[in-house]
Amino acid sequence: MKKEKIIEVNDLYAAFDSLTVLSGVSFSAYQGEVTVILGGSGSGKTTLLKHLLGLYPIMGGRISILGKDLAQLREVEQVELYHKMGVLYQSGALLGSLTVAENVALPLSQHTKLPPELISDIVYMKLGLVNMAHAYHLYPSQLSGGMLKRAALARAIAMDPPLLFCDEPGAGLDPVSLESLDQLILNLKNQLGMSIVLVTHEVPSILRVANRIVFLDQGQVAFEGPLKEAMHSKHPAVSAFFSVLKNEHVRELVR
Ligand SMILES: Nc1ncnc2c1ncn2[C@@H]1O[C@H](COP(=O)(O)OP(=O)(O)O)[C@@H](O)[C@H]1O
Ligand SMILES: [Mg+2]
């Protein structure tokens, strides 16, 4: 069965003053898949993600998300589309003065007219999805790093977005918390059919969750395709990265 293209980027160009960050970037992401964006530090992964989220004006090229050309959207359509996209940032960034439940409720109270009782029920359900129902009344300062990420994930999916973007969500997590975060991401894909775009450097995460790899190098896409093919890419940067990955994978198996 042919998978539906959910994101299509064509010849995207991005620069900050004289620094060209993306130069002719093209790739696609598909419905119900986890697309992992890889590349060295400063290779433009976050810049690319922010373009997909519509946070930067498009300087060159074209981005189409859920069949909509980002540059052609009227304001109403823009808002409609952005409500279909959830985001989990590296920092997690929950508001410290609000409880976990109040944090997760924010997008719902800001962007919907749902009655407060229904919002509470939805929040409880979302926290349950990320194994955080017990933290409903806690404040962010009372949570561990892994719990903070899971609470931020609950907030990112509060509006039931079909599309979720995560920028290095595993950074700074211990291996056990990382694995449980990966498991949640897989659950969102497998049980709710979400399409997920994930920026990560974490080798175990890539092996656990990636369907498709987009590898950025020197402002261009050095590889695009299934994880299995990425491991055999002849491109120097991609092959260097995956030779490490293979070794770590082997080490993990031997352990
Ligand atoms: N808002 C900005 N203003 C100026 N330069 C930026 C800005 N955001 C990113 N950059 C630069 O663009 C390059 C790519 O950054 P980024 O997209 O954050 O890379 P990555 O996420 O892959 O580490 C870096 O050289 C970075 O310093
Ligand atoms: Mg980044």
Side-chain angles (χ1 to χ4, degrees), residues 100-131:
V100 166
E102 287 165 346
N103 266 289
V104 177
L106 264 188
L108 294 159
S109 48
Q110 279 178 345
H111 303 302
T112 73
K113 294 193 171 63
L114 297 173
E117 316 80 68
L118 185 52
I119 290 184
S120 306
D121 288 350
I122 295 173
V123 167
Y124 191 74
M125 201 181 83
K126 299 296 172 192
L127 285 172
L129 270 176
V130 298
N131 304 323

PDB file of all heavy atoms in Angstrom, residues 100-131:
ATOM      1  N   VAL A 100       1.189  20.368  36.746  1.00  0.00           N
ATOM      2  CA  VAL A 100       1.298  19.568  35.528  1.00  0.00           C
ATOM      3  C   VAL A 100      -0.026  19.605  34.764  1.00  0.00           C
ATOM      4  O   VAL A 100      -0.068  19.859  33.551  1.00  0.00           O
ATOM      5  CB  VAL A 100       1.690  18.113  35.886  1.00  0.00           C
ATOM      6  CG1 VAL A 100       1.475  17.182  34.714  1.00  0.00           C
ATOM      7  CG2 VAL A 100       3.139  18.068  36.358  1.00  0.00           C
ATOM      8  N   ALA A 101      -1.127  19.390  35.491  1.00  0.00           N
ATOM      9  CA  ALA A 101      -2.439  19.372  34.836  1.00  0.00           C
ATOM     10  C   ALA A 101      -2.746  20.721  34.194  1.00  0.00           C
ATOM     11  O   ALA A 101      -3.242  20.788  33.057  1.00  0.00           O
ATOM     12  CB  ALA A 101      -3.529  19.008  35.844  1.00  0.00           C
ATOM     13  N   GLU A 102      -2.430  21.809  34.902  1.00  0.00           N
ATOM     14  CA  GLU A 102      -2.705  23.139  34.347  1.00  0.00           C
ATOM     15  C   GLU A 102      -1.857  23.400  33.106  1.00  0.00           C
ATOM     16  O   GLU A 102      -2.312  24.031  32.148  1.00  0.00           O
ATOM     17  CB  GLU A 102      -2.442  24.214  35.409  1.00  0.00           C
ATOM     18  CG  GLU A 102      -3.519  24.239  36.501  1.00  0.00           C
ATOM     19  CD  GLU A 102      -3.103  25.023  37.749  1.00  0.00           C
ATOM     20  OE1 GLU A 102      -1.897  25.335  37.905  1.00  0.00           O
ATOM     21  OE2 GLU A 102      -3.983  25.291  38.579  1.00  0.00           O
ATOM     22  N   ASN A 103      -0.614  22.909  33.116  1.00  0.00           N
ATOM     23  CA  ASN A 103       0.252  23.041  31.941  1.00  0.00           C
ATOM     24  C   ASN A 103      -0.341  22.326  30.733  1.00  0.00           C
ATOM     25  O   ASN A 103      -0.351  22.864  29.626  1.00  0.00           O
ATOM     26  CB  ASN A 103       1.643  22.468  32.242  1.00  0.00           C
ATOM     27  CG  ASN A 103       2.627  23.520  32.717  1.00  0.00           C
ATOM     28  OD1 ASN A 103       3.065  24.363  31.947  1.00  0.00           O
ATOM     29  ND2 ASN A 103       2.955  23.486  34.001  1.00  0.00           N
ATOM     30  N   VAL A 104      -0.805  21.094  30.961  1.00  0.00           N
ATOM     31  CA  VAL A 104      -1.352  20.302  29.846  1.00  0.00           C
ATOM     32  C   VAL A 104      -2.668  20.919  29.357  1.00  0.00           C
ATOM     33  O   VAL A 104      -2.999  20.853  28.166  1.00  0.00           O
ATOM     34  CB  VAL A 104      -1.544  18.823  30.273  1.00  0.00           C
ATOM     35  CG1 VAL A 104      -2.167  18.013  29.148  1.00  0.00           C
ATOM     36  CG2 VAL A 104      -0.203  18.215  30.688  1.00  0.00           C
ATOM     37  N   ALA A 105      -3.393  21.555  30.304  1.00  0.00           N
ATOM     38  CA  ALA A 105      -4.694  22.150  29.943  1.00  0.00           C
ATOM     39  C   ALA A 105      -4.539  23.421  29.108  1.00  0.00           C
ATOM     40  O   ALA A 105      -5.464  23.799  28.370  1.00  0.00           O
ATOM     41  CB  ALA A 105      -5.490  22.458  31.215  1.00  0.00           C
ATOM     42  N   LEU A 106      -3.368  24.061  29.200  1.00  0.00           N
ATOM     43  CA  LEU A 106      -3.189  25.377  28.551  1.00  0.00           C
ATOM     44  C   LEU A 106      -3.631  25.440  27.088  1.00  0.00           C
ATOM     45  O   LEU A 106      -4.448  26.292  26.734  1.00  0.00           O
ATOM     46  CB  LEU A 106      -1.732  25.824  28.652  1.00  0.00           C
ATOM     47  CG  LEU A 106      -1.358  26.767  29.799  1.00  0.00           C
ATOM     48  CD1 LEU A 106       0.081  27.237  29.613  1.00  0.00           C
ATOM     49  CD2 LEU A 106      -2.296  27.952  29.868  1.00  0.00           C
ATOM     50  N   PRO A 107      -3.087  24.537  26.224  1.00  0.00           N
ATOM     51  CA  PRO A 107      -3.500  24.648  24.810  1.00  0.00           C
ATOM     52  C   PRO A 107      -5.003  24.468  24.638  1.00  0.00           C
ATOM     53  O   PRO A 107      -5.602  25.105  23.765  1.00  0.00           O
ATOM     54  CB  PRO A 107      -2.739  23.502  24.111  1.00  0.00           C
ATOM     55  CG  PRO A 107      -1.940  22.799  25.149  1.00  0.00           C
ATOM     56  CD  PRO A 107      -2.092  23.493  26.450  1.00  0.00           C
ATOM     57  N   LEU A 108      -5.602  23.632  25.492  1.00  0.00           N
ATOM     58  CA  LEU A 108      -7.042  23.380  25.357  1.00  0.00           C
ATOM     59  C   LEU A 108      -7.850  24.602  25.786  1.00  0.00           C
ATOM     60  O   LEU A 108      -8.832  24.966  25.138  1.00  0.00           O
ATOM     61  CB  LEU A 108      -7.445  22.162  26.203  1.00  0.00           C
ATOM     62  CG  LEU A 108      -6.849  20.839  25.716  1.00  0.00           C
ATOM     63  CD1 LEU A 108      -6.840  19.803  26.813  1.00  0.00           C
ATOM     64  CD2 LEU A 108      -7.632  20.337  24.505  1.00  0.00           C
ATOM     65  N   SER A 109      -7.435  25.260  26.868  1.00  0.00           N
ATOM     66  CA  SER A 109      -8.201  26.432  27.307  1.00  0.00           C
ATOM     67  C   SER A 109      -7.930  27.626  26.387  1.00  0.00           C
ATOM     68  O   SER A 109      -8.787  28.488  26.214  1.00  0.00           O
ATOM     69  CB  SER A 109      -7.918  26.768  28.777  1.00  0.00           C
ATOM     70  OG  SER A 109      -6.550  26.779  29.022  1.00  0.00           O
ATOM     71  N   GLN A 110      -6.729  27.654  25.786  1.00  0.00           N
ATOM     72  CA  GLN A 110      -6.415  28.779  24.895  1.00  0.00           C
ATOM     73  C   GLN A 110      -7.061  28.648  23.524  1.00  0.00           C
ATOM     74  O   GLN A 110      -7.458  29.628  22.928  1.00  0.00           O
ATOM     75  CB  GLN A 110      -4.894  28.897  24.717  1.00  0.00           C
ATOM     76  CG  GLN A 110      -4.234  29.617  25.887  1.00  0.00           C
ATOM     77  CD  GLN A 110      -2.716  29.691  25.727  1.00  0.00           C
ATOM     78  OE1 GLN A 110      -2.137  28.985  24.910  1.00  0.00           O
ATOM     79  NE2 GLN A 110      -2.087  30.526  26.528  1.00  0.00           N
ATOM     80  N   HIS A 111      -7.108  27.418  23.017  1.00  0.00           N
ATOM     81  CA  HIS A 111      -7.504  27.261  21.611  1.00  0.00           C
ATOM     82  C   HIS A 111      -8.853  26.589  21.387  1.00  0.00           C
ATOM     83  O   HIS A 111      -9.241  26.356  20.245  1.00  0.00           O
ATOM     84  CB  HIS A 111      -6.431  26.466  20.848  1.00  0.00           C
ATOM     85  CG  HIS A 111      -5.075  27.101  20.921  1.00  0.00           C
ATOM     86  ND1 HIS A 111      -4.828  28.377  20.496  1.00  0.00           N
ATOM     87  CD2 HIS A 111      -3.892  26.630  21.383  1.00  0.00           C
ATOM     88  CE1 HIS A 111      -3.557  28.672  20.694  1.00  0.00           C
ATOM     89  NE2 HIS A 111      -2.967  27.628  21.231  1.00  0.00           N
ATOM     90  N   THR A 112      -9.536  26.191  22.464  1.00  0.00           N
ATOM     91  CA  THR A 112     -10.851  25.567  22.274  1.00  0.00           C
ATOM     92  C   THR A 112     -11.862  26.258  23.193  1.00  0.00           C
ATOM     93  O   THR A 112     -11.478  27.001  24.086  1.00  0.00           O
ATOM     94  CB  THR A 112     -10.847  24.056  22.622  1.00  0.00           C
ATOM     95  OG1 THR A 112     -10.779  23.910  24.048  1.00  0.00           O
ATOM     96  CG2 THR A 112      -9.690  23.329  21.970  1.00  0.00           C
ATOM     97  N   LYS A 113     -13.140  25.947  22.962  1.00  0.00           N
ATOM     98  CA  LYS A 113     -14.171  26.512  23.836  1.00  0.00           C
ATOM     99  C   LYS A 113     -14.742  25.408  24.723  1.00  0.00           C
ATOM    100  O   LYS A 113     -15.875  25.488  25.203  1.00  0.00           O
ATOM    101  CB  LYS A 113     -15.283  27.129  22.981  1.00  0.00           C
ATOM    102  CG  LYS A 113     -14.815  28.344  22.185  1.00  0.00           C
ATOM    103  CD  LYS A 113     -16.001  29.104  21.625  1.00  0.00           C
ATOM    104  CE  LYS A 113     -15.616  30.433  21.019  1.00  0.00           C
ATOM    105  NZ  LYS A 113     -14.712  30.314  19.850  1.00  0.00           N
ATOM    106  N   LEU A 114     -13.972  24.356  24.946  1.00  0.00           N
ATOM    107  CA  LEU A 114     -14.460  23.226  25.735  1.00  0.00           C
ATOM    108  C   LEU A 114     -14.707  23.650  27.188  1.00  0.00           C
ATOM    109  O   LEU A 114     -13.961  24.467  27.731  1.00  0.00           O
ATOM    110  CB  LEU A 114     -13.432  22.090  25.715  1.00  0.00           C
ATOM    111  CG  LEU A 114     -13.133  21.460  24.353  1.00  0.00           C
ATOM    112  CD1 LEU A 114     -11.967  20.479  24.457  1.00  0.00           C
ATOM    113  CD2 LEU A 114     -14.375  20.753  23.826  1.00  0.00           C
ATOM    114  N   PRO A 115     -15.753  23.102  27.825  1.00  0.00           N
ATOM    115  CA  PRO A 115     -16.004  23.429  29.234  1.00  0.00           C
ATOM    116  C   PRO A 115     -14.895  22.866  30.127  1.00  0.00           C
ATOM    117  O   PRO A 115     -14.308  21.828  29.801  1.00  0.00           O
ATOM    118  CB  PRO A 115     -17.339  22.746  29.525  1.00  0.00           C
ATOM    119  CG  PRO A 115     -17.496  21.714  28.468  1.00  0.00           C
ATOM    120  CD  PRO A 115     -16.746  22.189  27.262  1.00  0.00           C
ATOM    121  N   PRO A 116     -14.623  23.543  31.262  1.00  0.00           N
ATOM    122  CA  PRO A 116     -13.513  23.163  32.142  1.00  0.00           C
ATOM    123  C   PRO A 116     -13.547  21.693  32.581  1.00  0.00           C
ATOM    124  O   PRO A 116     -12.491  21.058  32.659  1.00  0.00           O
ATOM    125  CB  PRO A 116     -13.685  24.079  33.354  1.00  0.00           C
ATOM    126  CG  PRO A 116     -14.472  25.237  32.863  1.00  0.00           C
ATOM    127  CD  PRO A 116     -15.309  24.754  31.734  1.00  0.00           C
ATOM    128  N   GLU A 117     -14.751  21.149  32.836  1.00  0.00           N
ATOM    129  CA  GLU A 117     -14.820  19.751  33.299  1.00  0.00           C
ATOM    130  C   GLU A 117     -14.305  18.806  32.221  1.00  0.00           C
ATOM    131  O   GLU A 117     -13.616  17.828  32.502  1.00  0.00           O
ATOM    132  CB  GLU A 117     -16.260  19.315  33.663  1.00  0.00           C
ATOM    133  CG  GLU A 117     -17.083  20.307  34.467  1.00  0.00           C
ATOM    134  CD  GLU A 117     -17.681  21.397  33.596  1.00  0.00           C
ATOM    135  OE1 GLU A 117     -18.571  21.086  32.789  1.00  0.00           O
ATOM    136  OE2 GLU A 117     -17.254  22.573  33.703  1.00  0.00           O
ATOM    137  N   LEU A 118     -14.671  19.113  30.977  1.00  0.00           N
ATOM    138  CA  LEU A 118     -14.234  18.259  29.872  1.00  0.00           C
ATOM    139  C   LEU A 118     -12.710  18.386  29.689  1.00  0.00           C
ATOM    140  O   LEU A 118     -12.008  17.392  29.459  1.00  0.00           O
ATOM    141  CB  LEU A 118     -14.973  18.653  28.578  1.00  0.00           C
ATOM    142  CG  LEU A 118     -14.710  17.766  27.365  1.00  0.00           C
ATOM    143  CD1 LEU A 118     -14.930  16.296  27.684  1.00  0.00           C
ATOM    144  CD2 LEU A 118     -15.594  18.181  26.200  1.00  0.00           C
ATOM    145  N   ILE A 119     -12.207  19.620  29.828  1.00  0.00           N
ATOM    146  CA  ILE A 119     -10.761  19.826  29.725  1.00  0.00           C
ATOM    147  C   ILE A 119     -10.039  18.999  30.797  1.00  0.00           C
ATOM    148  O   ILE A 119      -9.052  18.319  30.500  1.00  0.00           O
ATOM    149  CB  ILE A 119     -10.405  21.335  29.840  1.00  0.00           C
ATOM    150  CG1 ILE A 119     -10.886  22.065  28.580  1.00  0.00           C
ATOM    151  CG2 ILE A 119      -8.902  21.537  30.023  1.00  0.00           C
ATOM    152  CD1 ILE A 119     -10.528  23.526  28.486  1.00  0.00           C
ATOM    153  N   SER A 120     -10.558  19.002  32.028  1.00  0.00           N
ATOM    154  CA  SER A 120      -9.930  18.186  33.088  1.00  0.00           C
ATOM    155  C   SER A 120      -9.890  16.722  32.699  1.00  0.00           C
ATOM    156  O   SER A 120      -8.892  16.031  32.921  1.00  0.00           O
ATOM    157  CB  SER A 120     -10.702  18.282  34.407  1.00  0.00           C
ATOM    158  OG  SER A 120     -10.851  19.582  34.756  1.00  0.00           O
ATOM    159  N   ASP A 121     -10.982  16.231  32.137  1.00  0.00           N
ATOM    160  CA  ASP A 121     -11.040  14.818  31.734  1.00  0.00           C
ATOM    161  C   ASP A 121     -10.003  14.521  30.650  1.00  0.00           C
ATOM    162  O   ASP A 121      -9.314  13.503  30.692  1.00  0.00           O
ATOM    163  CB  ASP A 121     -12.434  14.458  31.194  1.00  0.00           C
ATOM    164  CG  ASP A 121     -13.470  14.398  32.304  1.00  0.00           C
ATOM    165  OD1 ASP A 121     -13.049  14.452  33.488  1.00  0.00           O
ATOM    166  OD2 ASP A 121     -14.670  14.324  31.997  1.00  0.00           O
ATOM    167  N   ILE A 122      -9.914  15.424  29.672  1.00  0.00           N
ATOM    168  CA  ILE A 122      -8.957  15.222  28.574  1.00  0.00           C
ATOM    169  C   ILE A 122      -7.526  15.235  29.134  1.00  0.00           C
ATOM    170  O   ILE A 122      -6.702  14.393  28.785  1.00  0.00           O
ATOM    171  CB  ILE A 122      -9.114  16.315  27.482  1.00  0.00           C
ATOM    172  CG1 ILE A 122     -10.487  16.184  26.808  1.00  0.00           C
ATOM    173  CG2 ILE A 122      -8.004  16.206  26.439  1.00  0.00           C
ATOM    174  CD1 ILE A 122     -10.816  17.310  25.839  1.00  0.00           C
ATOM    175  N   VAL A 123      -7.262  16.186  30.045  1.00  0.00           N
ATOM    176  CA  VAL A 123      -5.929  16.295  30.634  1.00  0.00           C
ATOM    177  C   VAL A 123      -5.581  15.001  31.371  1.00  0.00           C
ATOM    178  O   VAL A 123      -4.477  14.457  31.238  1.00  0.00           O
ATOM    179  CB  VAL A 123      -5.854  17.506  31.599  1.00  0.00           C
ATOM    180  CG1 VAL A 123      -4.597  17.448  32.449  1.00  0.00           C
ATOM    181  CG2 VAL A 123      -5.901  18.800  30.803  1.00  0.00           C
ATOM    182  N   TYR A 124      -6.545  14.482  32.128  1.00  0.00           N
ATOM    183  CA  TYR A 124      -6.316  13.247  32.879  1.00  0.00           C
ATOM    184  C   TYR A 124      -5.999  12.097  31.918  1.00  0.00           C
ATOM    185  O   TYR A 124      -5.087  11.297  32.139  1.00  0.00           O
ATOM    186  CB  TYR A 124      -7.549  12.923  33.726  1.00  0.00           C
ATOM    187  CG  TYR A 124      -7.295  11.827  34.723  1.00  0.00           C
ATOM    188  CD1 TYR A 124      -6.525  12.068  35.863  1.00  0.00           C
ATOM    189  CD2 TYR A 124      -7.803  10.544  34.526  1.00  0.00           C
ATOM    190  CE1 TYR A 124      -6.259  11.062  36.774  1.00  0.00           C
ATOM    191  CE2 TYR A 124      -7.553   9.535  35.432  1.00  0.00           C
ATOM    192  CZ  TYR A 124      -6.784   9.789  36.546  1.00  0.00           C
ATOM    193  OH  TYR A 124      -6.518   8.803  37.436  1.00  0.00           O
ATOM    194  N   MET A 125      -6.731  12.066  30.804  1.00  0.00           N
ATOM    195  CA  MET A 125      -6.516  11.016  29.798  1.00  0.00           C
ATOM    196  C   MET A 125      -5.126  11.143  29.155  1.00  0.00           C
ATOM    197  O   MET A 125      -4.409  10.156  29.000  1.00  0.00           O
ATOM    198  CB  MET A 125      -7.592  11.149  28.734  1.00  0.00           C
ATOM    199  CG  MET A 125      -7.844   9.929  27.928  1.00  0.00           C
ATOM    200  SD  MET A 125      -9.112  10.315  26.719  1.00  0.00           S
ATOM    201  CE  MET A 125      -8.136  11.077  25.446  1.00  0.00           C
ATOM    202  N   LYS A 126      -4.749  12.374  28.801  1.00  0.00           N
ATOM    203  CA  LYS A 126      -3.437  12.590  28.161  1.00  0.00           C
ATOM    204  C   LYS A 126      -2.310  12.227  29.127  1.00  0.00           C
ATOM    205  O   LYS A 126      -1.312  11.619  28.725  1.00  0.00           O
ATOM    206  CB  LYS A 126      -3.260  14.050  27.723  1.00  0.00           C
ATOM    207  CG  LYS A 126      -4.272  14.523  26.715  1.00  0.00           C
ATOM    208  CD  LYS A 126      -4.165  13.781  25.405  1.00  0.00           C
ATOM    209  CE  LYS A 126      -5.323  14.137  24.497  1.00  0.00           C
ATOM    210  NZ  LYS A 126      -5.437  13.271  23.346  1.00  0.00           N
ATOM    211  N   LEU A 127      -2.480  12.599  30.396  1.00  0.00           N
ATOM    212  CA  LEU A 127      -1.441  12.251  31.381  1.00  0.00           C
ATOM    213  C   LEU A 127      -1.362  10.734  31.542  1.00  0.00           C
ATOM    214  O   LEU A 127      -0.288  10.169  31.719  1.00  0.00           O
ATOM    215  CB  LEU A 127      -1.705  12.947  32.716  1.00  0.00           C
ATOM    216  CG  LEU A 127      -1.364  14.440  32.723  1.00  0.00           C
ATOM    217  CD1 LEU A 127      -1.831  15.114  34.013  1.00  0.00           C
ATOM    218  CD2 LEU A 127       0.142  14.664  32.539  1.00  0.00           C
ATOM    219  N   GLY A 128      -2.514  10.072  31.451  1.00  0.00           N
ATOM    220  CA  GLY A 128      -2.537   8.607  31.515  1.00  0.00           C
ATOM    221  C   GLY A 128      -1.756   7.990  30.365  1.00  0.00           C
ATOM    222  O   GLY A 128      -1.010   7.020  30.545  1.00  0.00           O
ATOM    223  N   LEU A 129      -1.905   8.595  29.179  1.00  0.00           N
ATOM    224  CA  LEU A 129      -1.215   8.086  27.984  1.00  0.00           C
ATOM    225  C   LEU A 129       0.304   8.087  28.148  1.00  0.00           C
ATOM    226  O   LEU A 129       1.008   7.280  27.557  1.00  0.00           O
ATOM    227  CB  LEU A 129      -1.564   8.957  26.768  1.00  0.00           C
ATOM    228  CG  LEU A 129      -2.762   8.577  25.925  1.00  0.00           C
ATOM    229  CD1 LEU A 129      -2.984   9.624  24.848  1.00  0.00           C
ATOM    230  CD2 LEU A 129      -2.562   7.210  25.283  1.00  0.00           C
ATOM    231  N   VAL A 130       0.819   9.051  28.930  1.00  0.00           N
ATOM    232  CA  VAL A 130       2.271   9.134  29.107  1.00  0.00           C
ATOM    233  C   VAL A 130       2.688   8.634  30.500  1.00  0.00           C
ATOM    234  O   VAL A 130       3.758   8.965  31.006  1.00  0.00           O
ATOM    235  CB  VAL A 130       2.807  10.576  28.868  1.00  0.00           C
ATOM    236  CG1 VAL A 130       2.528  11.023  27.450  1.00  0.00           C
ATOM    237  CG2 VAL A 130       2.203  11.565  29.860  1.00  0.00           C
ATOM    238  N   ASN A 131       1.811   7.859  31.123  1.00  0.00           N
ATOM    239  CA  ASN A 131       2.074   7.289  32.464  1.00  0.00           C
ATOM    240  C   ASN A 131       2.391   8.364  33.500  1.00  0.00           C
ATOM    241  O   ASN A 131       3.317   8.228  34.298  1.00  0.00           O
ATOM    242  CB  ASN A 131       3.234   6.285  32.418  1.00  0.00           C
ATOM    243  CG  ASN A 131       2.977   5.189  31.411  1.00  0.00           C
ATOM    244  OD1 ASN A 131       1.832   4.750  31.257  1.00  0.00           O
ATOM    245  ND2 ASN A 131       4.017   4.765  30.712  1.00  0.00           N
TER     246      ASN A 131
END
